Amino acid sequence: MAPLIRLLGDLAKPARTSVRLASDPELDGVTGRYLNAKGKWARWPAGVLAEANREAVLALCERLAAGRVT
């Protein structure tokens, strides 16, 4: 088990940004912004902005919701 823990590192670190977004009253109502893994405001990554990628993610979500994963 110890080697796995060393490999994964501190599992709380990746959750910090999500916890902050969910619990910080100063962020209530904030939309359309991107916080990077370090919890800092940043520009959206280019891959997120690419229309083809957004369409592919939407199509996958629709298939998952319908139970048709291929």
Side-chain angles (χ1 to χ4, degrees):
M1 184 72 158
L4 180 60
I5 292 172
R6 280 195 299 271
L7 176 66
L8 295 176
D10 181 2
L11 296 178
K13 274 186 174 182
R16 287 186 184 136
T17 299
S18 296
V19 170
R20 177 178 173 214
L21 286 170
S23 62
D24 188 339
E26 291 182 19
L27 299 176
D28 188 34
V30 174
T31 63
R33 302 284 310 267
Y34 174 71
L35 281 174
N36 63 21
K38 295 180 180 181
K40 304 289 183 191
W41 294 116
R43 291 180 182 253
W44 286 96
V48 172
L49 299 175
E51 184 68 26
N53 291 344
R54 292 196 321 248
E55 290 174 2
V57 169
L58 178 59
L60 175 60
C61 290
E62 289 170 343
R63 287 198 319 268
L64 288 169
R68 298 186 323 257
V69 181
T70 57

